[in-house]
Every structure is written in structure tokens, then in C-alpha cells.
């Protein structure tokens, strides 16, 4: 399984109990939805290994899970802090108007006048709205190497073209 085919959806925490259970830190929007994906791929000694979730439950403010084949605390401890990935094909299909953040990474960002602002390298969640992190290879004519552009559809984000790998924004290059 290559990293290009997988999407990290969480992380394993410390072991819980003596029967091989592990604490789970979910990166999914609804934390519990991490358990809807199967199988999980966990990197063990540099190799992706497939695991099935045998059982899971709420524990305090988080979750714990029992993975098939991990029956001892010591076995589970070896996976502490390992990332949980799933196949990209396991993610639900989205409409043409919806996007996974990962789809936006690497897209060119231009304003309505055709000025190239840079490439999307990251997304930030601020609470009020998401933010595109756009980086240029060199400082541009405005002295900018990085811009934070609010992901406000219609207001700032004018169009997203998956085919052309391009996002058009209403954004002043001086910001």
C-alpha cells in the first residue's frame, strides 16, 4: 500500500487495559466516523499493515478500540503514536461542488486578473472559516512568499477547477 493511496484519518494513542485495546485520536470531522472505515492501515516498522477493528467504544471524552490480532498490552504498546490511514477509495464520494482538503493541495491559485498568487500547501481550520495556505516559490512583486486566504465560497473563492488544478479567487495580491 503506497502513501498516495492512503489518507491519514487518526492516530493510535497509548494502550488501554491488558487485552490489547488502544486509545484512538480521530482526525475525522465527526470523531466517531473513523470507525466506519475499514480496514485501517497502520505503519509498523516502515511498512503499512492492514488491521480490522474488532471492537470499539467511547471512553471518557475519547475512544478506545481493539484491533484484530492484538490481544496483549505489549503488542498494542508497539503501535502507540502510529498513524491510522484508510484507502482514499473508502472516503465517501462528493458532489462536484464539494472537495476534500487533500484535493486542493498543489492547486495553483490565481486572482480574477490572472495574477498567480502561489500554490496551496496547507489548510487551516480557524473556527469561523477554513483558510488556504498559499505559497509562492520566490517572493513575488508584492514581497509575498506566503498568503493566508479565507476559504469563503462565492465571496473569496470564485471557482475551483479540478481538471486544470486551479483555484480562482477574488483577492488583492498586496495582501
Amino acid at each position: 500500500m503506497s502513501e498516495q493511496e492512503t489518507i491519514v484519518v487518526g492516530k493510535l494513542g497509548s494502550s488501554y487495559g491488558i487485552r490489547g485495546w488502544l486509545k484512538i485520536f480521530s482526525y475525522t470531522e465527526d470523531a466517531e466516523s473513523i470507525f466506519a472505515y475499514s480496514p485501517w492501515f497502520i505503519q509498523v516498522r516502515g511498512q503499512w499493515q492492514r488491521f480490522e477493528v474488532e471492537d470499539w467504544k467511547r471512553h471518557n471524552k475519547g475512544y478506545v478500540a481493539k484491533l484484530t490480532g492484538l490481544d496483549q498490552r505489549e503488542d498494542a504498546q508497539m503501535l502507540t503514536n502510529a498513524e491510522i490511514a484508510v484507502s482514499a477509495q473508502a472516503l465517501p464520494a462528493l458532489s462536484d461542488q464539494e472537495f476534500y482538503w487533500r484535493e486542493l493541495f498543489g492547486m495553483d491559485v490565481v486572482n480574477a486578473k490572472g495574477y498567480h498568487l502561489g500554490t496551496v500547501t496547507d489548510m487551516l481550520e480557524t473556527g469561523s472559516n477554513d483558510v488556504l495556505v498559499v505559497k509562492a516559490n520566490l517572493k513575488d512583486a508584492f514581497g509575498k512568499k506566503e498568503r493566508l486566504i479565507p476559504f469563503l465560497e462565492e465571496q473569496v473563492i470564485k471557482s475551483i477547477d479540478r481538471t486544470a488544478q486551479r483555484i480562482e479567487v477574488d483577492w488583492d495580491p498586496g495582501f
Side-chain angles (χ1 to χ4, degrees):
M1 179 113 227
S2 75
E3 286 188 49
Q4 288 181 326
E5 299 173 321
T6 59
I7 305 298
V8 174
V9 294
K11 182 177 176 180
L12 297 172
S14 60
S15 59
Y16 169 78
I18 60 171
R19 303 276 183 229
W21 287 68
L22 287 153
K23 293 179 182 173
I24 305 297
F25 299 99
S26 176
Y27 301 157
T28 58
E29 190 171 354
D30 169 26
E32 201 169 287
S33 68
I34 192 171
F35 301 107
Y37 300 115
S38 184
W40 285 359
F41 294 94
I42 299 169
Q43 212 165 35
V44 180
R45 292 183 214 98
Q47 299 290 320
W48 288 108
Q49 291 189 16
R50 180 186 173 125
F51 286 90
E52 299 289 338
V53 176
E54 184 176 309
D55 198 6
W56 65 273
K57 62 183 175 182
R58 264 188 187 281
H59 177 67
N60 294 330
K61 294 182 181 177
Y63 299 93
V64 293
K66 167 76 174 73
L67 303 179
T68 302
L70 292 181
D71 298 317
Q72 302 295 320
R73 180 180 183 90
E74 295 76 24
D75 295 335
Q77 285 174 328
M78 293 182 65
L79 298 180
T80 297
N81 293 325
E83 291 182 324
I84 301 166
V86 297
S87 168
Q89 289 76 30
L91 299 175
L94 299 177
S95 74
D96 289 342
Q97 308 307 320
E98 297 177 302
F99 300 87
Y100 286 111
W101 280 10
R102 67 180 177 84
E103 293 180 272
L104 303 177
F105 296 163
M107 285 191 178
D108 288 320
V109 179
V110 296
N111 72 5
K113 295 180 180 174
Y115 187 86
H116 187 263
L117 299 168
T119 304
V120 177
T121 60
D122 203 357
M123 293 283 294
L124 302 174
E125 206 172 350
T126 65
S128 58
N129 57 270
D130 297 333
V131 175
L132 291 171
V133 178
V134 178
K135 291 189 179 176
N137 289 337
L138 304 170
K139 283 187 179 179
D140 65 11
F142 296 90
K144 303 286 184 183
K145 185 164 171 88
E146 179 179 271
R147 289 179 174 85
L148 301 178
I149 301 175
F151 195 89
L152 299 170
E153 294 182 81
E154 295 178 22
Q155 189 176 353
V156 176
I157 307 297
K158 295 301 180 185
S159 67
I160 299 174
D161 186 335
R162 282 184 170 106
T163 306
Q165 289 290 287
R166 179 182 149 143
I167 301 171
E168 185 180 314
V169 296
D170 182 7
W171 196 253
D172 185 328
F175 287 157

